Amino acid sequence: MESVECTETALPSVRLGEAKAMTRRHMAIAARDWTGLSPRPQARGGASRAGVRPSVGFARRAAPRDTAGMRELQVVNAAELALAYAAAEYAVALDGDALPLRVGRPANDLEAYWPAARYLFVSAWNPASQPHSDSANQAADERLVARIQAAGVQRHAAWAQDSAGQWREPGWLLADLDEGAADALAREFGQAGVLAWRRGEPVRLRMLIARPQDAAASEHTDWVEG
């Protein structure tokens, strides 16, 4: 297969209303954040955006249905899970738009509008590789928000989904959380993987479970447990 150079221009921003990725509770939290933050940092070229959240969950759905079907996910093995995470589509809510994130690609637009030294995408959905009900996932999300607020960490509403739209999970993009704290937070909420990267570098997938022998090598995937 011949290689294709990936650029940010190949990933256009989409309107937040078209994403259909967050629960009502998640969107309410996001809306409160957008109206309650300190003055927005100035981006290059005079543009400005505000900001203060993947991991994505541990499973994927067997067949496309509505978002309530998130509770009907089929758990995959660790190697398949890493491939699914790496291929997933991620987005961050900023000023009513959704800026895309992809593993292995730089996040230039996001970093210009919301400067930080480190970034982390983490979710509280479907912990321990088990599908949970919407109410259980929303309750876990609220606990995650409380933990983030208590730590004084800035966040933006974000989400992950597969390219076919068969599963979606809301989460949060966090700024400037050190590696140890990021891993501890993800493990506290039972997550197998997160997105974590430094400003100016490509987005990386960070798997927090043991690497299976059949896991494919990937330049932008790190296995913390070896």
Side-chain angles (χ1 to χ4, degrees):
M1 180 182 297
E2 60 182 37
S3 61
V4 178
E5 181 177 0
C6 297
T7 66
E8 287 258 317
T9 56
L11 299 171
S13 171
V14 296
R15 296 299 301 174
L16 180 58
E18 297 172 353
K20 299 180 181 178
M22 291 184 289
T23 64
R24 291 180 181 177
R25 172 64 180 169
H26 200 71
M27 293 186 73
I29 294 172
R32 182 191 66 202
D33 290 340
W34 296 333
T35 58
L37 291 176
S38 55
R40 299 171 179 174
Q42 291 295 315
R44 292 194 298 261
S48 64
R49 291 183 185 261
V52 189
R53 165 201 181 154
S55 78
V56 297
F58 289 7
R60 60 186 178 192
R61 280 180 47 195
R65 296 184 181 179
D66 59 22
T67 54
M70 290 287 294
R71 67 194 64 176
E72 299 177 14
L73 305 180
Q74 286 187 335
V75 176
V76 296
N77 68 38
E80 291 176 337
L81 190 61
L83 291 176
Y85 282 5
E89 299 176 353
Y90 304 84
V92 182
L94 285 166
D95 278 359
D97 288 333
L99 295 182
L101 297 173
R102 299 295 184 274
V103 173
R105 305 187 190 185
N108 295 334
D109 286 350
L110 168 68
E111 294 174 5
Y113 290 125
W114 191 37
R118 295 171 177 265
Y119 299 89
L120 172 75
F121 174 78
V122 63
S123 172
W125 275 53
N126 298 323
S129 302
Q130 297 296 323
H132 287 59
S133 68
D134 287 349
S135 60
N137 281 325
Q138 290 166 12
D141 185 67
E142 291 174 7
R143 292 193 298 272
L144 175 58
V145 170
R147 289 280 288 107
I148 294 169
Q149 290 177 326
V153 178
Q154 288 187 312
R155 71 183 187 276
H156 270 306
W159 59 91
Q161 65 181 28
D162 70 336
S163 59
Q166 294 183 353
W167 62 259
R168 299 184 183 91
E169 293 189 7
W172 300 96
L173 186 72
L174 310 183
D176 292 331
L177 197 62
D178 67 54
E179 193 172 89
D183 289 352
L185 183 65
R187 288 189 173 112
E188 178 181 343
F189 287 87
Q191 299 300 295
V194 297
L195 300 189
W197 75 99
R198 295 176 181 271
R199 178 179 173 85
E201 299 179 356
V203 175
R204 301 190 67 83
L205 171 61
R206 186 171 176 83
M207 297 298 294
L208 303 175
I209 55 180
R211 178 176 182 171
Q213 293 183 347
D214 61 341
S218 173
E219 181 182 357
H220 299 102
T221 298
D222 302 313
W223 293 83
V224 177
E225 301 297 333

